[in-house]
Amino acid sequence: MRGTMRRLAMTVLWPSFVAAALAEGCVFSVFDPADLAYLAESGITPTAVYSVGFFALWSLCALSSLLTMYLVVTPADQKAPF
């Protein structure tokens, strides 16, 4: 059981990590956090925005991958993958 959960975690987290890295590259090639006026006033650094943005995108992509894993299970299967 423990090995199955690790395999499921890696099956979900690795593709979502790669997708989040690509999405962050696309998003932050268009938007520069340093140009946003309200961030400069609040004292949030661009590095913090990049970090929070990456983890938010990674969470979204992980949720998408997890939903895909859940939907892959066919009705003929005896148990869900998690």
Side-chain angles (χ1 to χ4, degrees):
M1 178 74 176
R2 190 173 183 181
T4 304
M5 292 305 287
R6 282 186 186 169
R7 186 176 180 100
L8 174 68
M10 289 309 299
T11 303
V12 168
L13 293 177
W14 176 244
S16 62
F17 177 83
V18 173
L22 292 171
E24 177 152 358
C26 292
V27 168
F28 289 117
S29 66
V30 175
F31 300 106
D32 185 11
D35 291 341
L36 302 174
Y38 64 90
L39 289 177
E41 293 173 1
S42 66
I44 299 173
T45 64
T47 305
V49 175
Y50 289 130
S51 299
V52 169
F54 174 75
F55 285 112
L57 288 168
W58 192 9
S59 299
L60 239 142
C61 292
L63 182 63
S64 172
S65 292
L66 189 62
L67 181 62
T68 301
M69 285 294 294
Y70 180 75
L71 292 174
V72 161
V73 177
T74 61
D77 291 337
Q78 295 296 325
K79 60 180 181 173
F82 46 87

